[in-house]
Amino acid sequence: MTRARAFWLQGKGRGALRSEDLPELRREWCAVRTMFSAVSPGTERLVALGRVPEALSEEMRCPYMGGRFPFPVKYGYSLVGEVVAGPKDLLGRKVHVLHPHQDICVVRRDDIRLIPDGLPPARATLASNLETAVTAVWDSGVTLGERVLVVGFGIVGSLVARALGSGPETDLEIAEKRADRRRLAMRMGFRTTPTPKPGAFDLAFDTSGSPAGLQAAIDSVGVEGRVIAVSWFGTRPARLDLGGSFHSRRKRIVGSQVSRIPGALRPRWDAARRTDLVFRLLERPEFDLHVGPTVPFVSLPGFFGALVRRSPEGLSPLITY
């Protein structure tokens, strides 16, 4: 196990599988043979378009990333596999690791997260995006009985909706322009609309990936309403209309990002405790509805060529090795 194949973005929408040397397997390091990885369509689409702001190039680096932004770059952050070399107590264990798309990788022991027995490895690829969703719910301060809107039913929006179902009772609605995603949301049991009613909600999450979605979230909340801005636009500017009811109704916009635990929770929570929570949530079989479509590893170059033009069907593309 001295070489691996990895997916690299070489230019806007252009990717290739490259053969590369693996680092030496040192003490307290592991070799992981990949079973699955997940593409996070929103973030990875912006990376594939070369839209990572230069000022954020260090903050946006993911563990074990290769190259640099914009290109060539090896990027990705949800990989599940089996430990095939390293510490004896880990051999054969299924693990999740923040790592780009690659068929075998060598990682530090401290960077792997053991997948609980009984949790299907394919479902475990949702862990990274579910951490984003859980953090957004924490940032919202959602309370019992609130009218809640989720704008955008991509993978993060769908997981926010699912996570809300694990907390206080709320009156939840999904706003989604795409008919195929509204149908998927309804199959999961969520109420949907293409256009939310202005001022009707206490709380709104923008997970749409578009400035128009953020504007819809702002317009949807009433007096003292909160908007949780989860979408990341990269270098794309977001032009917002704040001249209407935004100031007079004292609306609030809260930025949410997974890299930091919300301040009020930080004295008691850390990333490891959050991961434990995420794996407990993922024990529920309904999360399987969020996984897919399936894409063979060898087809990733073509998949990313299509991704820069349009988000795929389904929610969380599952890369098979």
Side-chain angles (χ1 to χ4, degrees), residues 67-207:
R68 56 183 298 174
F69 300 116
F71 307 110
V73 65
K74 180 176 73 171
Y75 190 85
Y77 50 84
S78 188
L79 182 148
V80 168
E82 180 181 347
V83 176
V84 292
K88 290 183 179 180
D89 61 314
L90 295 178
L91 293 178
R93 295 298 302 269
K94 305 297 190 298
V95 298
H96 179 273
V97 62
L98 304 178
H99 197 286
H101 310 289
Q102 188 166 309
D103 63 359
I104 189 166
C105 55
V106 173
V107 296
R108 290 177 292 271
R109 179 184 184 133
D110 289 347
D111 290 338
I112 66 172
R113 304 188 278 189
L114 294 175
I115 296 174
D117 294 337
L119 177 58
R123 194 190 303 162
T125 61
L126 295 173
S128 296
N129 276 319
L130 186 52
E131 287 181 335
T132 298
V134 165
T135 305
V137 172
W138 283 344
D139 281 322
S140 75
V142 62
T143 59
L144 187 68
E146 286 196 294
R147 296 184 298 257
V148 181
L149 180 72
V150 175
V151 181
F153 200 74
I155 183 54
V156 173
S158 72
L159 292 175
V160 166
R162 187 70 72 187
L164 286 167
S166 303
E169 180 67 25
T170 60
D171 181 9
L172 175 64
E173 186 166 286
I174 308 295
E176 172 57 63
K177 295 291 187 183
R178 283 176 51 170
D180 61 320
R181 288 188 170 174
R182 288 201 304 276
R183 289 192 295 270
L184 180 56
M186 286 187 287
R187 285 201 299 272
M188 293 184 184
F190 300 115
R191 189 173 76 248
T192 71
T193 180
T195 307
K197 182 179 178 180
F201 298 89
D202 303 299
L203 166 66
F205 295 83
D206 170 45
T207 64

Side-chain angles (χ1 to χ4, degrees), residues 57-66 69 73-77 98-100:
S57 59
E58 285 305 309
E59 289 186 44
M60 280 299 298
R61 289 189 67 87
C62 62
Y64 304 101
M65 188 180 104
F69 300 116
V73 65
K74 180 176 73 171
Y75 190 85
Y77 50 84
L98 304 178
H99 197 286

Side-chain angles (χ1 to χ4, degrees), residues 149 151 175 177 196-198 204 211-221 227 240:
L149 180 72
V151 181
K177 295 291 187 183
K197 182 179 178 180
L214 178 56
Q215 185 68 60
I218 294 169
D219 294 341
S220 74
V221 297
V227 173
L240 301 174

